[in-house]
Amino acid sequence: AVIQSLQALVSRETDPLSAAVVSVTKIQAGDAFNVIPGDALIGGTIRALHDSDLASLKMRLLEVVGTVATAHLCTIQNISFMPDHFPPTVNDAEVMQWLQEDAGVVEFGQYQWDHKPIMGSEDFSYFLQDVPGAFLFLGQGSGKGVATEAFPTAASLHNPRFNLDESVLSRGSALLTQLAMQSLQALNEAGARNGSKSLKQGEL
């Protein structure tokens, strides 16, 4: 009953023009097939694109779980959330423009710059709150490195069938190196315009 009621938080209480996720991904109860368990452990994740929506989900989750449990003559104990929730990951507009125009990223293949928001949870968002930056996806799914047909490289992250295509790792390393070098060049050029000393090769 608790799990069913939690699903209404998205379908009935979330702005249809916004987005939210309430997923129950863990249920543990009992030790024997012929004994009704006296307690159960439920776990999962809540996600939203805005901090205010996330706070609302958290508040309503506590209310729904408590009232449904009471209605079924049950009690709730030890409800806990992660001490620090992951805020939405929002790329800096100027950094994104630099990536598209000046960072040389296009040399590494085709890129999709207008990706729609997704409900991933990423701690890189903390860095973006303090330092302008951007989070990029390194795609895979080429089919290379497949151990068995049951685990294709096209399966998404957090999928139980996920299989890393290791052939993309060299491309990712090269991309990060390119971005680091282009960043240093941009900083040198900005410093030269401002009269600051520029970095030379060997001073890194």
Side-chain angles (χ1 to χ4, degrees), residues 33-109:
F33 71 91
N34 59 348
V35 178
I36 298 175
D39 52 47
L41 173 66
I42 299 175
T45 181
I46 57 175
R47 302 182 181 188
L49 295 179
H50 304 284
D51 285 331
S52 58
D53 292 338
L54 196 61
S56 178
L57 278 178
K58 182 177 179 180
M59 179 189 68
R60 288 292 294 136
L61 183 146
L62 293 172
E63 294 174 349
V64 168
V65 169
T67 54
V68 172
T70 300
H72 288 79
L73 302 179
C74 296
T75 58
I76 299 294
Q77 296 179 341
N78 302 325
I79 298 181
S80 61
F81 296 88
M82 292 185 62
D84 295 316
H85 72 277
F86 295 135
T89 302
V90 181
N91 289 340
D92 181 81
E94 292 186 5
V95 172
M96 286 297 295
Q97 182 177 359
W98 175 76
L99 287 171
Q100 296 178 54
E101 298 177 358
D102 302 319
V105 174
V106 293
E107 299 175 6
F108 290 83

Side-chain angles (χ1 to χ4, degrees), residues 4 12-13 26 32 40 44 58 60 65 74 86-87 92 94 114 125 157 164 172 200:
Q4 289 179 324
R12 293 290 182 264
E13 299 187 20
K26 180 180 180 181
K58 182 177 179 180
R60 288 292 294 136
V65 169
C74 296
F86 295 135
D92 181 81
E94 292 186 5
D114 56 349
S125 58
L157 192 63
L164 175 63
K200 298 179 181 179

